[in-house]
Amino acid sequence: MTHDDPMVFAPQWDRSLGERVCTHLHQALAALEEREFEDGEHKIRPLVGVRDRDVYVLSSLQAGEHHGVDAKLCRMLFLLGALRDAGAARITAVVPYLCYARKDRRTKPRDPVTTRYVACLFEAVGIDRLVTVDVHNLVAFQNASRVPTEHLEARWLLARHLVPRVRQHDLVVVSPDIGGVKRAVRFRESLEHLLERPIGSGFVEKHRSAGRVSGGALVGSVRGRVVILVDDLVSSGTTLVRAARACHDAGATDVHAVATHGLFVGDASRVLDVDVLTSLTVTDTVPPFRLETHALSLEVDVLEVAPLLAESIRRLHVGGSIVELVERELQIQSRA
């Protein structure tokens, strides 16, 4: 690593992802010290000089096998603050999965708007930029943050993977709820470009209140067609299964689901083990350690996002445009 290279750090829980990103950057992951104290407090610091360097801290902020969401967020903030105090010239937080992104508005009296509070915490420790992948509500995320943000999408990665499986079929892209319609439209456009033909669209009605989900009416024609359900994340799996069942009841021949983040909380393995879903594809922004894939009847594929993250770091380091990543993917598909 030379002084002109970007410096990439990753806490222990995301060391594997950090190393894979650095492999694509042809450099080593920068060293950290992480110490636990007897009273539960924690220390994290860089073991290499960062003065006047362009620094990137990579970490997904979901509950893990050994650390909860709040612990990860707090430790990442401490590391970012330590890097600022150590004289880094520019600090970018690369957060493939951003915690609390779903709590972006008040739905009940006196509700917290936690998305905004998290953005304030990142701003308070002095970061220069925040990078995420397929955040739940892009407008809310961008409006909450007063530091520059970059939003990466996995739709080309997911669409390219799905093409061989669905190329010969009449397709409909469906959002499992009305809030995800724009996301499904962008995915449909990518798939149309790859397949060079028009694809149908639709969405499933869903209402959520106090943790209870209701609704299930399907808008769109799916009879005799293969459905692709598109969402940003899979949590318990109930939304996907509800939507898949609605599509099957309306005459769909097969239902494939794609989502960027696979949280798989609670009884997700049991919920997803149904005959209305043919396949599920997610990325490794969140390691699928909770999902019992061996016990599922459907096919589950986990795609790697390290190349996308590495290319975004490379572009940011040289002052390039992240938006052009989409155009680059488009050109790759055109040549394929």
Side-chain angles (χ1 to χ4, degrees):
M1 182 187 302
T2 71
H3 193 274
D4 293 330
D5 291 329
M7 297 187 73
V8 180
F9 293 90
Q12 186 60 41
W13 60 80
D14 264 326
R15 184 173 181 83
S16 175
L17 179 58
E19 288 174 340
R20 281 180 277 128
V21 168
C22 285
T23 296
H24 289 280
L25 291 171
H26 307 293
Q27 64 184 61
L29 187 67
L32 290 173
E33 178 192 15
E34 298 183 59
R35 288 183 58 194
E36 303 284 347
F37 293 92
E38 291 82 356
D39 60 354
E41 293 183 355
H42 179 80
K43 172 184 175 182
I44 185 168
R45 70 181 179 105
L47 290 176
V48 290
V50 298
R51 186 170 300 279
D52 298 327
R53 299 293 298 274
D54 187 19
V55 174
Y56 298 80
V57 177
L58 172 66
S59 178
S60 274
L61 296 176
Q62 82 289 341
E65 296 178 87
H66 306 293
H67 301 289
V69 173
D70 298 335
K72 284 187 174 182
L73 174 61
C74 188
R75 294 174 188 209
M76 186 176 190
L77 291 170
F78 290 167
L79 174 57
L80 293 166
L83 291 165
R84 174 57 69 205
D85 289 346
R90 187 173 68 165
I91 302 173
T92 300
V94 183
V95 189
Y97 177 76
L98 180 63
C99 61
Y100 295 109
R102 286 180 283 177
K103 192 51 186 167
D104 54 27
R105 65 191 185 280
R106 292 188 178 94
T107 55
K108 295 287 190 299
R110 297 169 295 281
D111 256 5
V113 187
T114 321
T115 297
R116 176 161 54 86
Y117 310 153
V118 170
C120 290
L121 291 172
F122 278 110
E123 179 187 350
V125 295
I127 69 168
D128 297 285
R129 191 173 298 271
L130 177 60
V131 180
T132 61
V133 182
D134 282 325
V135 75
H136 184 67
N137 184 330
L138 178 57
V139 174
F141 163 68
Q142 291 175 332
N143 287 336
S145 180
R146 293 194 294 181
V147 300
T149 60
E150 301 288 353
H151 184 248
L152 305 176
E153 294 182 87
R155 59 188 170 111
W156 287 102
L157 178 67
L158 294 165
R160 183 169 62 245
H161 175 79
L162 205 58
V163 161
R165 184 174 290 162
V166 301
R167 186 186 298 276
Q168 304 302 322
H169 300 285
D170 189 10
L171 303 175
V172 185
V173 172
V174 174
S175 171
D177 57 59
I178 194 170
V181 166
K182 288 185 178 180
R183 181 183 303 108
V185 167
R186 291 195 300 272
F187 185 88
R188 190 198 71 206
E189 291 170 347
S190 298
L191 204 56
E192 286 179 333
H193 176 82
L194 295 174
L195 295 174
E196 299 181 326
R197 57 184 169 89
I199 294 172
S201 62
F203 68 89
V204 178
E205 174 196 30
K206 187 184 85 168
H207 305 287
R208 185 189 297 273
S209 180
R212 297 178 62 86
V213 178
S214 60
L218 172 66
V219 177
S221 175
V222 301
R223 183 166 299 279
R225 305 163 89 178
V226 170
V227 168
I228 301 170
L229 286 174
V230 179
D231 212 345
D232 62 318
L233 61 88
V234 184
S235 184
S236 66
T238 54
T239 295
L240 272 187
V241 170
R242 176 184 292 270
R245 203 174 301 281
C247 292
H248 263 282
D249 291 346
T253 58
D254 275 308
V255 179
H256 301 276
V258 299
T260 301
H261 313 292
L263 297 180
F264 304 121
V265 301
D267 293 330
S269 293
R270 178 187 59 80
V271 171
L272 291 168
D273 191 22
V274 290
D275 57 4
V276 293
L277 273 175
T278 304
S279 73
L280 171 62
T281 304
V282 295
T283 76
D284 62 355
T285 55
V286 176
F289 64 92
R290 299 187 187 95
L291 191 64
E292 299 172 5
T293 54
H294 63 280
L296 294 179
S297 56
L298 78 159
E299 181 179 346
V300 180
D301 295 312
V302 182
L303 309 183
E304 187 180 17
V305 294
L308 177 65
L309 298 175
E311 181 63 21
S312 69
I313 290 172
R314 184 181 292 111
R315 285 175 176 267
L316 287 172
H317 179 63
V318 300
S321 172
I322 294 295
V323 175
E324 292 173 0
L325 277 173
V326 174
E327 298 175 6
R328 184 180 70 89
E329 288 285 353
L330 201 62
Q331 293 165 3
I332 289 174
Q333 303 311 321
S334 298
R335 294 193 298 265

